[in-house]
Amino acid sequence: MFDKLLTCGVVSAALRGEYLIARSIIRHKQPEWTENKTRLFAVRVVSFTHALVSALGCIFSLLTDVNYVREPYDYHKANAEYVFLFSMGYFIYDLLDMWIHGELESSKEYLVHHSLVITAFSIILFSGRLFGLAMIALLVEVQTVFLHLRTMVRLVYGSKHMPASIDVLINANMICLFLFRHLPVCYLLFYLLAQDVKVPILLKMFLVGGLTFLEYHNTHLTIAMAKSDGFFGHERQALDEDSCDPLGSLKKEEEQKTTEKKSERSTRTAKKID
């Protein structure tokens, strides 16, 4: 118990250190960037690190031991716990980071998402069950690697013309969105609702509810990226620091309302001129 808490604490502290270092480097390299843009890029650097480490750990575990898929409820392996502890450390860090910067009020979807993940992983670690289901769910981090790379690239280029090679990243991000977000969640929902006979009913209800919320989150993300990146009939948009991240702006709720009011005024003025 103490070892697990210590591991989460060490991970959270290390990621906080990475954030501060990234922010310092960005300020030095891009002094013309706004505070909001600098923070957003630094936040995504840390998120990218979490996604990359978690994705590699998850893929390695699944490829070297197929029992996670064969026995998703019963199978347990001690070294896989470190993958979950690393992710829990990140989500704890991210919640604290948003609280420190006063962003929790404008990040309710993040709050629900992180709380569900921390609760689910805690149940898995303390019960020694559901490791296979969690490993399959963690495949989402494969797509998240591309998601954060895409956001950082669009932050750097802004409304400028991007090289053709960036299209490869943007297309890979959308393809992986379906392969590693929608597909695993839908499979897990099918498994729990149609195939499983071992998961206790109350735990099953919690898992189904959590996975349903995650699929809602994935759908919201898909729609946002389709509109901004030019998929399914939409034209690719020139994005600024407030709109380039499909996960949402990091601005506080009051700042977002002010920005929206300014946007509405600009629209009204433009209509009057027309």
Side-chain angles (χ1 to χ4, degrees):
M1 172 66 175
F2 177 75
D3 291 345
K4 293 174 181 177
L5 291 174
L6 181 62
T7 301
C8 288
V10 170
V11 170
S12 297
L15 293 175
R16 178 63 178 173
E18 182 188 19
Y19 168 77
L20 294 174
I21 292 170
R23 186 168 177 166
S24 176
I25 292 173
I26 296 164
R27 280 178 170 172
H28 177 70
K29 297 289 186 181
Q30 303 288 350
E32 74 281 3
W33 281 14
T34 65
E35 175 61 25
N36 182 62
K37 189 173 182 178
T38 299
R39 168 157 169 72
L40 180 57
F41 197 94
V43 166
R44 292 297 160 246
V45 168
V46 178
S47 298
F48 171 80
T49 300
H50 161 253
L52 183 62
V53 174
S54 297
L56 290 175
C58 178
I59 290 173
F60 178 79
S61 296
L62 288 171
L63 290 178
T64 56
D65 199 334
V66 294
N67 287 312
Y68 286 116
V69 179
R70 291 174 180 168
E71 295 290 339
Y73 179 72
D74 288 319
Y75 189 70
H76 171 272
K77 204 167 184 180
N79 60 6
E81 292 186 357
Y82 290 104
V83 180
F84 302 122
L85 289 171
F86 181 81
S87 280
M88 284 182 67
Y90 164 76
F91 288 121
I92 292 169
Y93 149 78
D94 204 37
L95 285 175
L96 290 173
D97 181 67
M98 287 188 287
W99 175 72
I100 290 169
H101 291 89
E103 295 161 358
L104 280 179
E105 281 296 315
S106 58
S107 307
K108 294 182 177 66
E109 194 169 323
Y110 273 102
L111 181 60
V112 175
H113 176 272
H114 288 14
S115 299
L116 283 172
V117 174
I118 290 172
T119 302
F121 281 4
S122 297
I123 292 170
I124 292 165
L125 288 168
F126 291 115
S127 69
R129 306 290 185 183
L130 296 167
F131 271 70
L133 270 77
M135 281 295 181
I136 295 170
L138 268 177
L139 285 171
V140 67
E141 299 303 341
V142 176
Q143 187 273 332
T144 310
V145 170
F146 292 95
L147 174 63
H148 294 314
L149 273 177
R150 169 250 180 225
T151 297
M152 289 189 284
V153 166
R154 299 215 68 173
L155 266 177
V156 170
Y157 281 95
S159 59
K160 300 176 187 176
H161 178 71
M162 294 185 293
S165 58
I166 302 303
D167 285 339
V168 177
L169 172 62
I170 290 176
N171 290 332
N173 177 53
M174 182 57 74
I175 292 169
C176 288
L177 181 71
F178 286 93
L179 290 178
F180 296 105
R181 276 188 182 267
H182 290 291
L183 193 59
V185 171
C186 290
Y187 168 74
L188 290 176
L189 283 170
F190 170 76
Y191 172 81
L192 287 168
L193 293 172
Q195 294 184 325
D196 169 70
V197 292
K198 294 182 178 180
V199 181
I201 185 64
L202 290 178
L203 179 57
K204 181 179 290 191
M205 290 172 64
F206 169 77
L207 293 172
V208 169
L211 288 168
T212 302
F213 173 81
L214 289 179
E215 184 54 25
Y216 157 78
H217 175 77
N218 293 340
T219 302
H220 177 261
L221 186 62
T222 303
I223 294 170
M225 285 198 297
K227 290 179 178 178
S228 63
D229 289 350
F231 290 96
F232 312 127
H234 296 283
E235 292 186 8
R236 184 173 297 178
Q237 301 172 3
L239 306 177
D240 59 18
E241 63 194 69
D242 294 322
S243 58
C244 76
D245 193 341
L247 293 174
S249 173
L250 290 177
K251 283 188 175 181
K252 298 176 185 177
E253 197 166 24
E254 296 80 4
E255 293 175 343
Q256 287 185 5
K257 289 178 181 177
T258 302
T259 302
E260 288 171 3
K261 286 179 181 177
K262 287 180 179 178
S263 178
E264 288 176 5
R265 287 171 189 163
S266 298
T267 304
R268 288 171 190 163
T269 303
K271 287 180 179 178
K272 287 179 182 177
I273 292 172
D274 292 341

